[in-house]
Amino acid sequence: MTAGAGVLTRTMLALTLALLGTALMLGASRDGETWKALGLALLVLPVLWKGLPLLCGRLARLGAAKVWLLLTLLCLAVKGAWVLLVRVTPSGDYATFWGYAKALARQPVLEGGRYMALFPHIFGYSSFLSWFIRLLGPGALLAQGLNVLLTAASGSLLFLLGRRW
């Protein structure tokens, strides 16, 4: 790595850490926990400052395929754990999408679908979800599980785009 690339890498890491620290502070200050967040940031920042370049070096030695697999498995584990541990009750837009998807799984044309005609994005996602409801049934975690898989797929595509770039 050239000297200029090293400076740019450290600058990028510093900006990332500054943004993460700012987000942490803003999020924690909502609940009056500003000092705890500041203390945590002061403890974590030096570790990240020294640890991230080491981690990046080790990941570079693994090769692209192993890094992609590691990131994909990490994404599936984190998102999957969140879905299993935090149960979301369908409400608002989520309930609307889920209700229309179940109705579309039973019949291809909905009666009284004027609301859906006004908002075509509801029809698009609901019809996509209805295919999986027909295939697997209307399970409680179907939409969330599908979301986890789609997130891993989009992360993989972003990894490939970044690698190509």
Side-chain angles (χ1 to χ4, degrees), residues 1-91:
M1 181 172 7
T2 65
V7 170
L8 289 176
T9 300
R10 289 207 177 268
T11 303
M12 180 203 61
L13 289 174
L15 287 172
T16 302
L17 291 175
L19 285 172
L20 288 173
T22 302
L24 180 67
M25 290 299 296
L26 290 174
S29 65
R30 289 177 151 180
D31 299 329
E33 301 287 330
T34 305
W35 294 111
K36 288 181 184 177
L38 181 61
L40 179 64
L42 290 175
L43 289 174
V44 170
L45 283 176
V47 173
L48 289 176
W49 185 257
K50 291 292 185 185
L52 278 177
L54 293 173
L55 179 64
C56 290
R58 286 187 180 162
L59 288 176
R61 279 184 251 127
L62 283 177
K66 288 181 181 177
V67 170
W68 167 79
L69 182 62
L70 180 68
L71 288 173
T72 302
L73 291 175
L74 184 65
C75 174
L76 288 172
V78 170
K79 296 269 302 177
W82 183 262
V83 164
L84 293 175
L85 295 174
V86 179
R87 298 297 173 107
V88 176
T89 306
S91 64

Side-chain angles (χ1 to χ4, degrees), residues 79 83 88 90-105 110 116-117 119-134 139-151:
K79 296 269 302 177
V83 164
V88 176
S91 64
D93 288 344
Y94 175 73
T96 303
F97 285 121
W98 183 247
Y100 278 118
K102 288 194 309 186
L104 285 170
L110 296 178
M116 188 185 289
F119 304 100
H121 66 283
I122 294 174
F123 178 73
Y125 180 66
S126 296
S127 65
F128 175 76
L129 191 55
S130 71
W131 297 341
F132 292 93
I133 292 174
R134 276 189 222 116
L141 295 175
L142 176 68
Q144 292 93 332
L146 185 59
N147 186 9
V148 169
L149 293 176
L150 290 173
T151 300

